[in-house]
């Protein structure tokens, strides 16, 4: 199972994010997840800008963003994502959540834009190219969004719209408290957002995640750690939760051995 | 006069192929060097839907460079505002301004290529109106959740020199970033026009910036023999493919007209010895320029950019 950390914007802004990235990486996390601000929540404005900034200052963490899709031309989201992926050296995961009733069309256009070949798209909201009156010179019949992402296939995960994900053959991020799609194709990841208090009980968390892993096939958990002492909580996930979910079954006695020999707060800096 | 360096476009051209991941990987290092050398700013540009992958999202690209620097400012020359939702630009600009600690200069231009507008579903003839509306939205949007660090907002530099552009920017008290093809006397004239419109509107005039193609070398004549033709090749490709000349056909269809247009670019480039380049910049300063963005970074000069930055810094910053 892979582990991601949901990080909202805190008062210490980018400096705080950098510190959190270091802590997450040290605890063995695979990715950070940066949600876009919506309403009065604490998400990031323009998370793709923030993601790009993490490129030269992080090493191996994947950087996931959760951005609205459907409110503006999806080509802009595609372009921002491509440039962010290049700045990250191919470590972006693009999460998209519906921001209008045009999400189906938006996702379809986004996928065309991320592919390294020219295309024509006949959607009602965003016909591409549009052949607008007044555009005259050197118009294209088929458009190519350039450059291509760094990744040969940039992961696109759909948040909060499993039917859209299924229709497009994309991974669907299960919302907190909701099970995911157990029928998704094998090649797709099965991620889920899960809010957990920082004073979580490791055994209970392991049991809950293991049940989901065996149930609908959860393979990437995006944890939002709510509460104080997040650095300590990260370390506890790294040593007391993550190792117990990398196999279906551990030998009898191994967990007890870990409980007896690992420091109470390992790897805390 | 402040001195910035330009223009990071992230192009992988036929003349100078490059892996795009490598182009983006080296941007932070270039920014660090520019900062160490004492340049005030580094400028990126925007275009889209072109074979060479010209950067379509300069604010996103600049973020990576901002993360590894502390004083260097980052500018866009230009972000094509009429092709965007201005609220989205406001958010991206605010995000970059925040994570950089207030180091964004937002240059905005109209854009000129029909295919870019059409790809985004925008009618090019509406670009003037969209620019006006976009500027008003930007100026109102920054605040609250979208509050940048710089107060009241990052400096906005309007690209363009047509009367409509002057009126648009000057009556709002915005600054101007003028193209590289202007002679000093033309810069002075435009500065006077900006001041006149600002005074008429009862606002303080913004600053005047100028782009300039620059190359510093110990042997001036040799540099002009080698570098000017390379710049000519670079601009000829863009102009031939994109510019619409008199007769309403694009550049390659009228080579003679294209040559005439391109000669102004090479005529105004400052390519020569340190003294020659410094003299050319002094003329711009005397004409009233507050900022000179020196374009040394092209696809065809990318391989030697570190040395070029060092020579330029020695010539113009010491």
């Amino acid at each position: 199972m892979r582990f991601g950390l949901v990080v909202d914007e805190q008062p210490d802004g980018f400096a705080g994010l950098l510190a959190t990235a270091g802590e997450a990486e040290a605890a063995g996390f695979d990715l950070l997840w940066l949600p876009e601000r919506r309403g009065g929540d604490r998400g990031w404005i323009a998370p793709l800008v923030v993601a790009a900034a993490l490129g030269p200052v992080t090493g191996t963490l994947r950087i996931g963003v959760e951005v609205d899709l459907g409110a503006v031309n999806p080509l802009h989201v595609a372009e921002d994502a491509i440039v962010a992926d290049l700045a990250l050296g191919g470590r972006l995961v693009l999460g998209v959540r519906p921001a209008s009733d045009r999400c189906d069309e938006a996702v379809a256009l986004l996928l065309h834009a991320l592919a390294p070949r020219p295309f024509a798209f006949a959607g009602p909201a965003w016909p591409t190219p549009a052949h607008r009156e007044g555009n005259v010179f050197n118009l294209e019949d088929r458009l190519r969004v350039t450059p291509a992402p760094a990744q040969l296939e940039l992961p696109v995960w759909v948040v909060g719209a499993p039917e859209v994900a299924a229709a497009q053959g994309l991974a669907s991020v299960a919302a907190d408290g909701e099970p995911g799609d157990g029928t998704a194709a094998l090649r797709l990841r099965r991620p889920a957002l899960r809010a957990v208090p920082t004073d979580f009980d490791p055994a209970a968390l392991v049991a809950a995640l293991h049940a989901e892993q065996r149930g609908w096939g959860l393979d990437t958990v995006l944890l939002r750690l709510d509460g104080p002492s997040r650095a300590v909580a990260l370390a506890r996930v790294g040593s007391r939760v993550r190792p117990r979910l990398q196999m279906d079954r551990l030998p009898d006695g191994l967990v007890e051995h870990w409980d007896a020999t690992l420091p109470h707060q390992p790897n805390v800096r | 006069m402040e001195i910035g360096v330009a223009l990071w476009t992230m192009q992988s051209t036929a003349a100078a192929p490059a892996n795009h991941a490598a182009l983006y990987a080296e941007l932070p290092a270039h920014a660090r060097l520019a900062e160490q050398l004492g340049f005030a700013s580094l400028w990126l540009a925007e275009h889209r839907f072109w074979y060479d992958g010209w950067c379509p999202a300069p604010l996103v690209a600049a973020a990576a460079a901002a993360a590894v620097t502390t004083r260097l400012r980052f500018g866009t020359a230009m972000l094509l505002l009429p092709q965007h939702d201005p609220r989205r630009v406001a958010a991206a600009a605010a995000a970059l301004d925040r994570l950089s600690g207030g180091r964004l200069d937002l240059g905005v231009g109209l854009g000129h290529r029909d295919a870019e507008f059409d790809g985004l579903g925008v009618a090019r003839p509406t670009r003037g109106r969209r620019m006006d509306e976009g500027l008003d939205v930007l100026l109102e949007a920054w605040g609250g959740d979208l509050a940048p660090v710089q107060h009241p907002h990052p400096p906005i530099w309007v690209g363009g020199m047509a009367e409509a552009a002057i009126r648009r920017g000057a009556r709002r008290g915005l600054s101007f970033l003028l193209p590289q093809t202007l002679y000093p006397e033309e810069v002075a004239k435009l500065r006077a026009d900006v001041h006149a419109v600002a005074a008429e509107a009862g606002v303080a005039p913004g600053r005047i910036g100028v782009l300039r193609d620059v190359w510093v070398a110990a042997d001036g004549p040799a540099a002009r023999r080698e570098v000017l033709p390379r710049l000519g090749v670079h601009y000829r490709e863009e102009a031939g493919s994109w510019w619409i000349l008199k007769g309403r056909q694009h550049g390659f269809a009228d080579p003679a007209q294209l040559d005439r247009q391109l000669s102004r670019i090479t005529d105004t480039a400052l390519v020569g010895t340190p003294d020659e380049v410094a003299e050319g910049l002094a003329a711009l300063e005397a004409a009233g320029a507050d900022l000179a963005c020196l374009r040394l970074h092209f696809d065809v000069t990318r391989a030697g950019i570190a040395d070029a930055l060092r020579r330029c810094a020695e010539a113009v910053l010491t």
Side-chain angles (χ1 to χ4, degrees), chain A residues 134-139, chain B residues 112-115 124 127 238-254 257-258 261:
Chain A
N135 295 335
V136 176
F137 294 102
N138 292 326
L139 299 185
Chain B
H112 60 85
R113 192 170 151 241
D114 280 17
R124 181 175 174 275
R127 61 182 186 161
E238 180 185 319
S241 302
W242 292 0
W243 292 5
I244 306 305
L245 306 178
K246 296 174 188 176
R248 304 184 64 73
Q249 53 190 352
H250 73 275
F252 284 132
D254 188 347
Q257 175 72 11
L258 183 60
Q261 297 271 33

Side-chain angles (χ1 to χ4, degrees), chain A residues 73 75 79 109 112-121 126-131 138-146, chain B residues 48-50 113-121:
Chain A
N73 191 316
L75 295 186
E79 289 175 338
L109 179 54
H112 276 293
L114 294 175
R117 57 181 176 265
F119 68 94
F121 184 78
W126 300 291
T128 308
H131 297 297
N138 292 326
L139 299 185
E140 313 292 339
D141 288 325
R142 296 167 68 82
L143 193 72
R144 166 83 205 280
V145 175
T146 62
Chain B
R48 53 182 38 83
F49 311 148
W50 190 234
R113 192 170 151 241
D114 280 17
E116 294 182 13
F117 287 92
D118 203 62
L120 292 169

Side-chain angles (χ1 to χ4, degrees), chain A residues 173-197:
Chain A
V173 180
D176 189 32
E178 300 280 335
D181 179 5
T183 65
L186 190 61
R187 65 176 179 80
L188 296 176
R189 297 287 62 79
R190 296 186 183 182
L193 291 159
R194 296 290 179 255
V196 172

Side-chain angles (χ1 to χ4, degrees), chain B residues 19-84:
Chain B
N19 174 283
H20 273 106
L23 289 175
Y24 282 85
E26 66 189 17
L27 171 61
H30 291 170
R32 268 197 298 263
L33 177 59
E35 180 171 89
Q36 285 162 13
L37 292 171
F39 289 106
S41 49
L42 183 148
W43 295 73
L44 301 90
E46 172 184 329
H47 273 294
R48 53 182 38 83
F49 311 148
W50 190 234
Y51 86 91
D52 63 11
W54 193 313
C55 180
L59 294 178
V60 179
V68 298
T69 50
T70 55
R71 290 175 290 104
L72 188 72
R73 297 185 63 82
F74 293 92
T76 53
M78 319 301 295
L79 181 145
L80 306 180
L81 188 60
Q83 295 182 11
H84 289 270

Side-chain angles (χ1 to χ4, degrees), chain A residues 168-239:
Chain A
Q168 299 290 344
L170 298 174
S172 176
V173 180
D176 189 32
E178 300 280 335
D181 179 5
T183 65
L186 190 61
R187 65 176 179 80
L188 296 176
R189 297 287 62 79
R190 296 186 183 182
L193 291 159
R194 296 290 179 255
V196 172
T198 49
D199 61 351
F200 63 86
D201 175 82
L205 182 56
V206 168
L209 294 177
H210 191 239
E212 291 203 72
Q213 185 180 58
R214 275 203 156 190
W216 63 272
L218 170 70
D219 65 18
T220 307
V221 61
L222 306 175
L223 289 177
R224 172 177 262 118
L225 294 171
D226 293 326
S229 308
R230 189 168 62 180
V232 173
L234 275 173
R236 289 172 69 225
V237 170
S239 68

